[in-house]
């Protein structure tokens, strides 16, 4: 039976197995589906020093009634919200102290659960198999060190013993991969067919038997076959005769897929809740075997079972004593007996857990207080278990919060057509999408037929600098942005700095970052050493810093190659750094070396990086900024498509404006700031001085807000001469005042038809490149696309635009569980009116708030409503997956 275990279950299991089988303590490796061995153990078997008792609770004293009343309300709350379907039982010294059964036993009859309902125990089943094996050893019918092949001649591994199976030191591979590869879709995996698979294909052992410990599903399935071979009886008969009848377990049995079709109608079946609808989640064709699962039992029977182990009713004390000796592996090392305890409020708690299909089961033994807690569920939800434990132990309990958004026009971020739907949130994530009805007392938001979309992801943002003063992030939220990606243009913050700041100064939006190339250069070469190529040893040091950042969660490497801090770097330097990002599973994003006179070379460089590193590469804010290149967007997009056809994953982002914001110095591609010919070329080809506005100019603040032509008129100079003068004066001022912000210009230099083509390219996502102050894109990018380009010019469907702001962006950045409205995805959402949404920010009024954004949620918390922030700050730092 396929099963998955939690760490606590593993710890409990291994502790018990060391007792009984002399094995060392070691955590197992995971496999795709995990069976975990589980044996109940009693405090009488070991004598560890008693830990401190829970607060205000003497040894052996029952759980206070107040906690049980609280437990009752917790379970009722969870059940009302579809988060618990099962049975909880608390025993004290073997007597029932509390019991509660809520929900249905199966989807067919909808019969109610009771404490006598037999649940699929999943990997909790293996404890019964282990006890049966011990009994056979006591009866002299097998030996722990006996080769399995003596009992199962078809078993193809002569060096594996019974002890190896019991202690998970056999080296056998998990059978699931082999069964999926070889068996047909209608083949049921039985113990017999598993043995045949091993005999026929003999998959290689993962290590020599006894060399190491590694949990093995196959081992316990083979152990089940050993039990039937030794006893000569079917496993259900052995179980009934040696366990169920002696202990008077009336609700316990073995049940296998198909083998007993139509029998055991009383058994509980598993189901799941899918978008408000209940569907079956029960046994499959891999559940026709026994040994690693397929035992069913009720809570009432499990309480009897645990007490039988406490009193040694099934296994003699002498057999237990043998377990005290540690096992010795083939390399001569030993693992002494030891117990890893999970402490609850200072008290001793051991837990065992088994999961399969819709079932999650858990047994907790509170030895210090002689309590037994049993949790059995069949609704594919393990959320209740932790809350039940916390309640029993007197810890603070944080109940999961749900909320329902109804009457929505849902655009889910995939690009598919809008549809009417409701969306239910569970804490910080989307839980359900579909036709949903409110739970009792559940908060409900009426969407009034407006569009609900995933929160917009800004793939190129400089907004972070404003969050210190305005953590409510109105510039972002007011246009629907819930996540910003920083580190762009080559300048980044240290990740430790970012995470520390967010811990101490929470913000309303999520943040992820690239590592900036220029920041690496500055760290290694110094601020005054950037105007040259890096030396080999400097590149080595930069690579080490980048590798460290990648380990801390950076999305990859971001370059700003057009800027002086990186312009002088060689292609080889950039490529070596990009390869570090690629080797770490990251990505590359670049403000390429030129958006004008050497645009072709710049495109060639980023394509070469994608080709050689084999990682995704993205062009930041793609544009054609030279007048005589206007109208050529289609040709350049064809070049990018050709690269994609060659296997290079190259993409782009774009903002919907025909003017940029940068420094005056970028208008001199050759960095010859005193060359009159270059200045003339700039004013004629690279920007329009009559429509280009200085956003700031510290050397003479009176120039801010004026066009270059207007400033030239004030200075009685031609625009080219004024441009050179402004650069020289800004440089001189910066020498004397290095802490001031310097200068920037909003340069008009793009053609509208090119912008539209770039926005329409299927591999382009939307970005703002925004920072508060100056360019209106900081407040208006995303709403401008929705209002002016989608509703107004109709350059693409609304669903496509949302995809370019959400799902596509998440793909380009490698963000998982973000960018879509789907179960399990982050509950970052925006509710807007598609008929009114529009940007209001413009040159001269760059911080005007957009209209039409009605509400925004980040991590399930409302952060903006009625165009006003709520004061919630749930933003998180998103690390690379």
């Amino acid at each position: 039976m396929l099963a998955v275990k939690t760490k606590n279950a593993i710890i409990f299991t291994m502790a018990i197995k060391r007792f009984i089988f002399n094995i060392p303590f070691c955590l197992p490796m995971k496999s795709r589906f995990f069976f975990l061995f589980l044996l109940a153990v009693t405090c009488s078997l070991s004598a560890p020093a008693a830990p401190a008792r829970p607060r205000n609770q003497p040894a052996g004293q029952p759980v206070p009634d107040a906690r049980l009343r609280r437990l009752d309300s917790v379970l009722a709350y969870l059940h009302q919200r579809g988060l618990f379907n099962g049975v909880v039982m608390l025993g004290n010294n073997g007597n029932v102290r509390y019991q509660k059964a809520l929900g249905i036993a199966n989807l067919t009859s909808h019969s109610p659960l009771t404490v006598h309902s037999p649940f699929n125990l999943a990997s909790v089943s293996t404890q019964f198999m282990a006890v049966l094996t011990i009994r056979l050893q006591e009866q002299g019918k097998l030996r722990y060190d006996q080769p399995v092949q003596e009992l199962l001649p078809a078993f193809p591994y002569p060096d594996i013993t019974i002890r190896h199976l019991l202690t998970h030191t056999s080296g056998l591979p998990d059978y699931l991969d082999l069964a999926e590869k070889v068996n047909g879709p209608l083949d049921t995996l039985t113990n017999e067919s598993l043995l045949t698979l091993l005999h026929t294909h003999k998959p290689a052992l993962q290590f020599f038997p006894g060399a190491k410990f590694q949990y093995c599903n196959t081992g316990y399935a083979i152990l089940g076959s050993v039990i039937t071979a030794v006893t000569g009886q079917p496993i259900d008969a052995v179980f009934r005769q040696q366990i169920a009848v002696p202990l008077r377990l009336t609700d316990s049995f073995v049940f296998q897929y198909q083998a007993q079709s139509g029998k055991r109608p009383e058994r509980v079946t598993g189901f799941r809740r899918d978008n408000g609808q209940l569907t079956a989640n029960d046994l499959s064709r891999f559940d026709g075997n026994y040994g690693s699962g397929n035992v069913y039992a009720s809570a009432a029977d499990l309480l009897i079972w645990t007490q039988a182990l406490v009193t040694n009713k099934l296994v003699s004390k002498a057999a237990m004593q043998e377990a005290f000796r540690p096992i010795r592996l083939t390399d001569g090392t030993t693992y002494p007996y030891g117990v890893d305890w999970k402490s609850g409020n200072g008290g001793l708690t051991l837990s065992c857990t088994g999961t399969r299909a819709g079932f999650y089961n858990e047994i907790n033994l509170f030895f210090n207080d002689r309590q037994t807690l049993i949790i059995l569920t069949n609704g594919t939800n393990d959320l209740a278990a932790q809350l039940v434990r916390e309640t029993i132990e007197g810890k603070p309990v944080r109940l999961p919060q749900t909320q329902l958004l109804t009457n929505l026009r849902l655009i889910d971020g995939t690009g598919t057509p809008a549809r009417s739907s409701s969306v239910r949130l569970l804490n910080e994530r989307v839980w359900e999408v579909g036709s949903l009805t409110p739970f009792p007392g559940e908060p409900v938001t009426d969407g009034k037929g407006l569009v609900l979309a995933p929160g917009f992801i800004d793939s190129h943002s400089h907004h972070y600098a404003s969050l210190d003063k305005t953590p409510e992030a109105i510039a972002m939220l007011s246009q629907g942005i819930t996540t910003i990606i920083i580190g762009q243009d080559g300048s980044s913050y240290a990740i430790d700095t970012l995470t520390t700041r967010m811990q101490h100064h929470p913000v309303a939006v999520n943040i992820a970052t690239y590592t900036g190339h220029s920041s690496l250069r500055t760290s290694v070469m110094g601020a005054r050493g950037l105007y040259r190529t890096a030396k080999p040893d400097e590149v080595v040091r930069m690579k080490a810093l980048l590798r460290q950042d990648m380990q801390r969660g950076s999305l990859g490497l971001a370059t700003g190659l057009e800027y002086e801090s990186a312009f002088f770097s060689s292609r080889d330097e950039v490529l070596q750094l990009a390869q570090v990002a690629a080797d770490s599973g990251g990505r590359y994003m670049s403000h390429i070396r030129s958006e004008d006179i050497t645009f072709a070379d710049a495109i060639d460089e980023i394509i070469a990086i994608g080709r050689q590193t084999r990682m995704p590469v993205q062009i930041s804010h793609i544009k054609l900024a030279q007048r005589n290149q206007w109208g050529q967007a289609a040709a350049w997009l064809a070049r990018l498509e050709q690269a994609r056809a060659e296997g290079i994953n190259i993409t782009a982002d774009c903002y919907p404006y025909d003017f940029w914001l940068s420094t005056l110095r970028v208008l001199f591609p050759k960095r010859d700031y005193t060359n009159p010919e270059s200045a003339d070329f700039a004013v004629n080809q690279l920007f329009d001085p009559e429509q280009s506005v200085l956003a700031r100019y510290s050397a003479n603040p009176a120039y801010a807000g004026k066009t270059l032509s207007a400033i030239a008129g004030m200075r009685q100079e031609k625009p080219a001469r004024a441009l050179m003068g402004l650069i020289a004066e800004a440089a001189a001022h910066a020498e004397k005042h290095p802490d001031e912000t310097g200068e920037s210009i909003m340069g008009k230099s793009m053609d509208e038809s090119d912008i539209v083509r770039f926005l329409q390219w299927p591999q382009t996502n939307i970005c703002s490149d925004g920072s508060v102050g100056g360019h209106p894109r900081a407040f208006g990018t995303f709403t401008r696309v929705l209002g002016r380009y989608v509703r107004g010019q109709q350059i693409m469907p609304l669903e496509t635009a949302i995809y370019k702001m959400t799902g596509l962006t998440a793909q380009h950045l490698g963000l998982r569980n973000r960018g879509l409205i789907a179960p399990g995805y982050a509950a970052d959402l925006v509710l807007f009116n598609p008929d009114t949404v529009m940007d209001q920010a413009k040159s001269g009024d760059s911080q005007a708030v957009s209209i039409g954004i009605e509400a925004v949620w980040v991590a399930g918390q409302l952060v903006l409503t009625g165009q006003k922030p709520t004061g919630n700050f749930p933003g998180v730092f998103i690390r690379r997956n």
Side-chain angles (χ1 to χ4, degrees):
M1 173 176 257
L2 308 184
V4 180
K5 285 292 186 177
T6 63
K7 179 180 178 182
N8 296 331
I10 297 169
I11 291 170
F12 178 46
T13 297
M14 297 305 104
I16 297 167
K17 291 197 314 190
R18 283 195 308 280
F19 243 145
I20 299 178
F21 303 116
N22 304 320
I23 76 165
F25 180 75
C26 180
L27 288 179
M29 294 174 63
K30 273 189 174 182
S31 64
R32 186 166 14 151
F33 292 97
F34 221 53
F35 297 79
L36 289 175
F37 171 73
L38 197 38
L39 263 177
V41 68
T42 72
C43 55
S44 64
L45 297 181
S46 63
R53 293 184 292 274
R55 293 189 297 268
N56 304 319
Q57 188 174 333
Q61 182 172 321
V63 174
D65 289 343
R67 293 187 194 173
L68 298 183
R69 289 192 295 270
R70 173 61 173 159
L71 176 59
D72 224 34
S73 65
V74 166
L75 292 176
Y77 175 90
L78 295 175
H79 180 63
Q80 286 178 346
R81 279 158 177 75
L83 297 170
F84 175 72
N85 193 95
V87 176
V88 173
M89 177 175 287
L90 178 67
N92 179 244
N93 287 320
N95 299 313
V96 175
R97 177 86 170 87
Y98 174 89
Q99 59 186 21
K100 177 69 67 174
L102 295 171
I104 59 174
N106 63 70
L107 293 180
T108 303
S109 67
H110 279 70
S111 56
L113 287 171
T114 73
V115 295
H116 293 285
S117 298
F119 282 72
N120 180 337
L121 296 184
S123 56
V124 176
S125 305
T126 57
Q127 60 184 268
F128 297 95
M129 300 300 113
V131 167
L132 289 175
T133 304
I134 299 170
R135 289 172 62 87
L136 291 175
Q137 188 272 341
E138 284 193 291
Q139 296 164 9
K141 295 181 179 180
L142 57 75
R143 306 183 312 277
Y144 290 150
D145 294 317
Q146 183 177 12
V148 175
Q149 204 172 70
E150 291 184 6
L151 302 172
L152 299 175
F155 186 69
Y157 305 98
D159 297 316
I160 295 178
T161 66
I162 300 298
R163 188 186 298 275
H164 291 143
L165 300 181
L166 288 169
T167 60
H168 295 282
T169 57
S170 69
L172 285 168
D174 193 277
Y175 63 71
L176 182 61
D177 288 337
L178 179 62
E180 285 188 328
K181 179 180 179 180
V182 176
N183 283 358
L186 299 180
D187 293 332
T188 298
L189 184 66
T190 64
N191 287 66
E192 293 77 13
S193 65
L194 171 58
L195 192 57
T196 299
L197 284 178
L198 295 177
H199 180 78
T200 302
H201 300 279
K202 197 177 181 181
L205 296 179
Q206 295 179 326
F207 52 85
F208 190 80
K212 62 184 291 188
F213 172 88
Q214 180 175 301
Y215 185 82
C216 180
N217 302 329
T218 310
Y220 261 83
I222 295 300
L223 188 63
S225 295
V226 167
I227 294 171
T228 58
V230 171
T231 60
Q233 294 181 299
I235 192 66
D236 54 343
V238 179
F239 176 86
R240 183 171 58 255
Q241 294 170 10
Q242 297 199 32
I243 293 179
V245 171
L247 298 181
R248 298 182 180 179
L249 305 182
T250 59
D251 313 313
S252 301
F253 50 85
V254 177
F255 181 91
Q256 298 151 250
Y257 178 74
Q258 287 192 358
Q260 296 166 302
S261 179
K263 297 181 180 180
R264 296 295 183 182
E266 75 275 25
R267 76 178 181 93
V268 174
T269 60
F271 65 87
R272 66 165 58 90
R273 183 183 174 96
D274 286 331
N275 294 322
Q277 305 299 314
L278 302 185
T279 59
N281 185 20
D282 202 54
L283 301 182
S284 75
R285 62 190 179 94
F286 296 105
D287 296 316
N289 64 84
Y290 53 84
S292 56
N294 281 326
V295 172
Y296 282 70
S298 67
D301 277 3
L302 286 174
L303 184 60
I304 296 172
W305 167 255
T306 56
Q307 290 304 304
L309 294 175
V310 169
T311 55
N312 294 321
K313 287 184 178 180
L314 296 175
V315 180
S316 71
K317 187 175 182 179
M320 296 297 185
Q321 293 295 333
E322 184 184 353
F324 294 147
R325 292 192 299 272
I327 190 170
R328 183 175 296 274
L329 299 179
T330 54
D331 62 0
T333 61
T334 61
Y335 290 89
Y337 170 78
V339 177
D340 190 351
W341 306 97
K342 178 188 176 184
S343 178
N345 287 331
L348 186 61
T349 303
L350 296 180
S351 61
C352 55
T353 308
T355 295
R356 169 59 186 142
F359 294 87
Y360 179 90
N361 310 309
E362 190 170 302
I363 302 174
N364 296 275
L365 302 179
F366 300 83
F367 288 131
N368 215 37
D369 303 300
R370 297 192 280 276
Q371 309 280 349
T372 302
L373 175 63
I374 299 166
I375 305 168
L376 304 175
T377 70
N378 63 322
T380 319
N381 196 314
D382 63 355
L383 189 148
Q386 179 179 347
L387 300 180
V388 170
R389 290 194 306 271
E390 290 173 346
T391 303
I392 291 294
E393 295 169 11
K395 294 180 178 179
V397 173
R398 180 177 177 268
L399 291 175
Q401 300 299 310
T402 68
Q403 54 180 308
L404 184 64
L405 314 181
T406 64
N407 192 14
L408 305 169
R409 180 184 171 193
L410 181 67
I411 300 181
D412 63 10
T414 64
T416 55
R419 64 188 189 273
S420 298
S421 184
S422 296
V423 175
R424 174 169 280 121
L425 312 184
L426 175 60
N427 294 333
E428 73 279 3
R429 297 202 171 270
V430 174
W431 181 19
E432 299 177 329
V433 179
S435 179
L436 308 171
T437 56
F439 294 132
E442 182 178 37
V444 178
T445 297
D446 184 356
K448 300 179 180 178
L450 300 180
V451 169
L452 184 75
F456 305 150
I457 303 172
D458 188 351
S459 63
H460 187 128
S461 172
H462 299 281
H463 283 101
Y464 180 76
S466 68
L467 291 177
D468 278 347
K469 293 182 179 180
T470 56
E472 62 275 10
I474 189 66
M476 292 136 272
L477 297 179
S478 63
Q479 56 179 311
I481 296 170
T482 57
T483 299
I484 61 173
I485 312 302
I486 63 174
Q488 306 295 0
D489 295 331
S491 179
S492 63
Y493 298 85
I495 289 181
D496 287 348
T497 299
L498 285 172
T499 54
T500 299
R501 283 184 183 178
M502 292 187 71
Q503 289 173 358
H504 293 93
H505 303 284
V507 297
V509 293
N510 305 311
I511 298 170
T513 188
Y514 281 83
T515 298
H517 173 219
S518 297
S519 295
L520 294 174
R521 297 188 101 231
T522 302
S523 295
V524 172
M525 301 168 66
R528 295 183 179 274
L530 302 176
Y531 309 107
R532 59 175 174 83
T533 58
K535 299 174 183 178
D537 66 301
E538 292 171 333
V539 175
V540 170
R541 289 158 61 193
M542 283 190 274
K543 288 166 66 175
L545 291 175
L546 176 58
R547 193 172 293 109
Q548 183 181 69
D549 242 21
M550 296 301 298
Q551 293 172 349
R552 292 174 177 171
S554 169
L555 298 181
L557 177 69
T559 59
L561 299 177
E562 192 176 32
Y563 297 108
E564 289 174 309
S565 56
F567 178 79
F568 297 96
S569 63
S570 67
R571 277 197 177 193
D572 183 65
E573 173 189 325
V574 178
L575 178 60
Q576 287 194 56
L577 291 170
Q579 189 64 60
V580 170
D583 292 343
S584 300
R587 293 162 182 257
Y588 178 77
M589 185 177 285
S590 181
H591 178 138
I592 55 180
R593 285 189 193 270
S594 174
E595 296 171 333
D596 40 66
I597 65 172
T598 58
F599 185 73
D601 286 341
I603 291 294
D604 179 72
E605 179 177 19
I606 192 170
I607 289 175
I609 289 172
R611 178 183 294 113
Q612 294 180 60
T613 65
R614 299 182 181 275
M615 72 173 167
V617 295
Q618 180 150 339
I619 302 169
S620 283
H621 45 58
I622 189 170
K623 64 173 72 74
L624 291 172
Q626 184 176 334
R627 182 180 294 273
N628 62 13
Q629 293 181 357
W630 288 359
Q632 297 181 20
W636 285 110
L637 290 175
R639 175 69 184 95
L640 299 183
E641 284 292 352
Q642 179 184 350
R644 291 183 62 82
E646 295 169 5
I648 300 165
N649 186 359
I650 186 167
T651 59
D653 56 27
C654 184
Y655 54 74
Y657 296 88
D658 60 3
F659 57 100
W660 41 257
L661 176 69
S662 191
T663 70
L664 290 164
R665 299 167 77 90
V666 300
L667 293 167
F668 287 77
K670 297 179 182 180
R671 305 305 186 259
D672 50 348
Y673 308 114
T674 61
N675 186 338
E677 291 184 1
S678 294
D680 283 333
F681 180 80
V683 299
N684 289 308
Q685 283 290 325
L686 303 186
F687 79 117
D688 183 348
E690 293 187 358
Q691 298 186 62
S692 300
V693 178
L694 256 65
R696 62 178 182 270
Y697 193 73
S698 298
N700 188 343
Y703 287 168
K706 294 180 171 59
T707 67
L708 187 68
S709 292
I711 295 170
M714 295 168 60
R715 296 163 65 101
Q716 297 183 344
E717 296 174 333
K718 290 184 177 181
R721 176 62 61 180
L723 176 61
M724 290 189 296
L726 291 173
I727 290 176
E729 292 161 19
H733 185 82
E735 284 287 332
K736 297 178 181 179
H737 308 279
D739 296 331
E740 293 190 10
T741 54
E743 48 82 11
S744 64
I745 185 172
M746 290 188 287
K748 171 66 172 71
S749 68
M750 290 172 275
D751 179 68
E752 179 73 6
S753 66
D754 289 331
I755 294 171
V756 170
R757 285 187 179 274
F758 285 138
L759 289 173
Q760 290 175 325
W761 189 42
Q763 303 305 325
T764 298
N765 67 262
I766 308 303
C767 75
S768 77
D769 193 16
S771 60
V772 175
H775 202 297
R777 64 193 179 190
F779 275 76
T781 293
F782 287 79
T783 46
R784 183 180 181 86
V785 171
L786 296 174
R788 300 181 188 273
Y789 286 90
V790 174
R791 188 177 66 246
Q793 300 183 30
Q794 299 183 5
I795 70 168
M796 68 183 76
L798 178 60
E799 291 87 348
T800 300
I802 296 301
Y803 172 58
K804 285 173 170 287
M805 299 174 176
T806 58
L808 182 64
T809 312
Q811 291 177 35
H812 287 174
L813 299 170
L815 301 181
R816 297 182 181 177
N817 298 321
R818 294 183 184 274
L820 303 181
I821 299 179
Y825 277 68
D828 300 334
L829 309 168
V830 55
L831 183 72
F832 68 91
N833 187 332
D835 298 325
T836 63
V837 64
M838 180 68 76
D839 63 310
Q840 299 291 297
K842 58 186 177 182
S843 180
D845 189 12
S846 63
Q847 298 187 31
V849 176
S850 299
I851 60 174
I853 301 295
E854 301 298 330
V856 179
W857 292 261
V858 171
Q861 295 188 39
L862 190 65
V863 291
L864 184 87
T865 182
Q867 297 183 321
K868 295 183 179 180
T870 63
N872 292 326
F873 301 110
V876 298
F877 180 75
I878 303 173
R879 300 180 189 273
R880 176 179 49 84
N881 295 103

